[in-house]
Amino acid sequence: MTKRRGLHPDKALSTLKVRQVTKAGRYSDGQGLYLVVSDTGAKRWMLRIVVRGRRRDMGLGGANLVSLADARQLALQYRLIARNGGDPLEERRKERVTTPTFAEAAHQVHAEAAPTWKNPKHAQQWINTLETYALPHIGSMQLDHIRSADLLRVLSPIWLEKPETARRVRQRLKTVFDWAKASGFRNTDNPVEGIERGLPKQTAKVEHHAAMPFAEVPAFVKGLQRTDKKGLINRRAFEMLILTATRTSEVLNAEWTEFDLKQRLWVISAERMKMDREHRVPLSQRAIEIVEEMQALGLQGTYVFPGTKLDRPMSNMAFTMTLRRLGVPYTAHGFRSSFRDWVAETTDYPNELAEMALAHSVGNKVEAAYRRGDMLERRRAMMEGWAEYLHDQNCDKKYGTFKNSRSGQSRD
């Protein structure tokens, strides 16, 4: 076949020609646009185009549905995309994908992330908060239609009434919209960014906890080490709280899957931490002995320190009631302050190491630099030293009697 010479055809076809042609073949309209007629007589439009140095053929639809004028318009649109370095085929694929609703996206993000969470309960909590607080407001809206004003309707009702819950909902909203942008469903910024500017300022509630002076803690721990069966699990859990300087809820809800005794490590997931950040707790020898003692009880359940029902943790008032029965004027949470005072007054460990052991937020740039790692091995030595201090004291005081006490204050 002799190659045609001269100018390339432009708008060579007519509406009448398109309608009348029946012979199988390919008919050029110019600028890479062709009418393709099959052996069966079916007619379709095809655009031959160069995309990033490669020749590509794009179907533009059947001639019975797409007119000549529309085919030319589509061809022009896609040629401009290719000329500007884009990929018209990819653009068209995006156009054909229906943008999911927020509810669909939230469940998709949850399904993708759930296998990475060690605790199924925490994974369920993640989606439950969105189903409770977000979906009633924006669940049926498409991701690309949601704006910051829509998210204010989600957060405003709980921003002051339930600040901790609101903070978690905000974080999870951000995760969903980050996914939406990465997946190509949103081209604009994350609507969660800067949302606080449209909400009233939350007043930080500073709660003070009466803290036992650290010099008296060994006597208290000595009482907890009784071996009689009555109240054994409560006493061991309380001792674990003091040994690890963790929060009450972190101990009471501790699960077997979080402990690795070979690595001498307790890993508390971000979902269970106040600051939403995973916390690795190095276990002293005594802490390991407590976990092993709980294992030896042979209780089949999720929790290391179960309540009266094996599938439920102890009440969050368990330690408080123990202290009340003993007439001890301190709080369980205050033992974190006792640990902090011990570090500051009797050791050379730096401030940021103690703050890291307490899983506190970092308040200045110098301390923030330490957050690039969690200084696990240095913390391990510090926590072993704390355990030795608690258990190696030559103390004759009885459980629950503390003479010459002075009240301390703990802030968290």
Side-chain angles (χ1 to χ4, degrees):
M1 178 177 177
T2 303
K3 184 176 181 180
R4 183 173 181 175
R5 297 183 182 277
L7 295 175
H8 291 286
D10 184 27
K11 297 184 178 178
L13 298 176
S14 66
T15 302
L16 181 62
K17 173 74 170 177
V18 171
R19 187 168 61 247
Q20 291 181 341
V21 66
T22 58
K23 185 178 180 181
R26 190 174 63 190
Y27 300 85
S28 175
D29 182 60
Q31 302 294 329
L33 178 62
Y34 294 89
L35 175 68
V36 179
V37 182
S38 70
D39 292 336
T40 63
K43 302 173 186 178
R44 60 183 176 86
W45 297 106
M46 183 191 75
L47 176 64
R48 175 157 291 182
I49 192 170
V50 176
V51 178
R52 297 170 183 169
R54 293 177 56 199
R55 192 175 74 178
R56 308 286 292 277
D57 289 342
M58 291 183 66
L60 303 183
N64 61 328
L65 297 175
V66 180
S67 68
L68 174 59
D70 288 342
R72 287 171 176 168
Q73 183 61 39
L74 285 172
L76 175 61
Q77 175 186 332
Y78 292 137
R79 283 200 304 271
L80 288 174
I81 292 173
R83 188 177 301 167
N84 291 325
D87 185 342
L89 286 91
E90 182 62 30
E91 291 295 325
R92 187 171 63 181
R93 277 194 289 270
K94 290 180 181 179
E95 292 172 1
R96 289 176 174 173
V97 175
T98 302
T99 302
T101 64
F102 178 83
E104 292 169 339
H107 285 98
Q108 179 67 27
V109 172
H110 174 253
E112 292 177 1
T116 67
W117 289 318
K118 294 181 179 179
N119 190 328
K121 183 183 71 174
H122 303 148
Q124 192 59 43
Q125 289 173 345
W126 192 97
I127 192 63
N128 284 350
T129 54
L130 292 180
E131 289 178 339
T132 301
Y133 300 105
L135 267 58
H137 296 284
I138 61 174
S140 61
M141 297 178 66
Q142 287 188 328
L143 288 172
D144 56 343
H145 293 169
I146 297 174
R147 301 293 179 262
S148 295
D150 300 306
L151 301 187
L152 285 175
R153 293 190 289 115
V154 175
L155 295 172
S156 292
I158 59 174
W159 190 251
L160 295 180
E161 183 181 346
K162 301 177 180 179
E164 185 69 16
T165 299
R167 183 178 61 81
R168 292 178 184 272
V169 172
R170 180 199 176 281
Q171 182 188 48
R172 289 159 192 175
L173 288 171
K174 183 178 184 300
T175 299
V176 174
F177 285 106
D178 282 342
W179 174 87
K181 188 172 183 181
S183 300
F185 296 123
R186 285 185 66 93
N187 296 321
T188 56
D189 292 337
N190 192 315
V192 180
E193 298 293 346
I195 194 72
E196 294 88 347
R197 291 193 290 269
L199 294 163
K201 185 176 182 181
Q202 292 177 335
T203 303
K205 182 180 179 182
V206 179
E207 186 176 359
H208 296 273
H209 302 270
M212 181 182 292
F214 69 84
E216 298 178 358
V217 179
F220 183 79
V221 171
K222 185 175 182 179
L224 293 178
Q225 290 185 301
R226 290 176 12 229
T227 57
D228 51 295
K229 291 184 178 181
K230 185 177 180 180
L232 177 66
I233 296 177
N234 183 300
R235 292 197 305 275
R236 294 300 182 264
F238 209 151
E239 187 179 354
M240 177 68 82
L241 174 98
I242 299 170
L243 281 166
T244 56
T246 47
R247 297 178 178 89
T248 299
S249 64
E250 293 159 9
V251 172
L252 295 183
N253 292 286
E255 300 185 7
W256 291 111
T257 56
E258 298 174 350
F259 287 84
D260 185 339
L261 297 188
K262 289 184 179 179
Q263 297 296 321
R264 304 171 68 87
L265 202 61
W266 174 20
V267 181
I268 309 174
S269 69
E271 291 294 313
R272 292 216 302 116
M273 294 300 299
K274 181 177 180 180
M275 302 308 297
D276 272 345
R277 185 168 46 229
E278 181 183 88
H279 184 45
R280 297 199 300 170
V281 182
L283 297 175
S284 64
Q285 181 56 40
R286 175 56 187 162
I288 292 174
E289 290 171 0
I290 290 175
V291 177
E292 290 176 338
E293 186 177 1
M294 293 300 98
Q295 287 177 329
L297 294 178
L299 303 177
Q300 300 297 318
T302 300
Y303 300 98
V304 178
F305 306 106
T308 53
K309 295 182 179 180
L310 296 182
D311 60 342
R312 302 285 295 174
M314 282 190 290
S315 165
N316 58 9
M317 289 293 291
F319 300 154
T320 299
M321 296 308 297
T322 296
L323 293 168
R324 286 179 184 175
R325 284 194 298 269
L326 295 170
V328 178
Y330 306 114
T331 66
H333 196 92
F335 285 97
R336 287 163 57 83
S337 182
S338 305
F339 162 76
R340 187 68 182 81
D341 291 344
W342 171 80
V343 174
E345 296 184 28
T346 69
T347 79
D348 294 325
Y349 291 112
N351 173 68
E352 63 273 1
L353 201 66
E355 292 299 297
M356 201 166 291
L358 294 169
H360 274 165
S361 59
V362 177
N364 61 64
K365 293 181 179 180
V366 175
E367 290 185 3
Y370 286 88
R371 283 292 183 193
R372 295 170 186 167
D374 64 0
M375 303 174 74
L376 179 65
E377 293 309 315
R378 292 194 66 187
R379 286 194 291 120
R380 188 182 296 282
M382 179 174 64
M383 301 314 291
E384 193 66 59
W386 171 237
E388 290 175 0
Y389 170 78
L390 294 176
H391 298 98
D392 291 349
Q393 296 298 303
N394 196 6
C395 179
D396 294 327
K397 291 184 180 180
K398 294 187 180 295
Y399 182 49
T401 59
F402 305 98
K403 297 179 181 179
N404 301 321
S405 298
R406 66 184 188 278
S407 178
Q409 294 292 326
S410 167
R411 297 177 62 182
D412 196 4

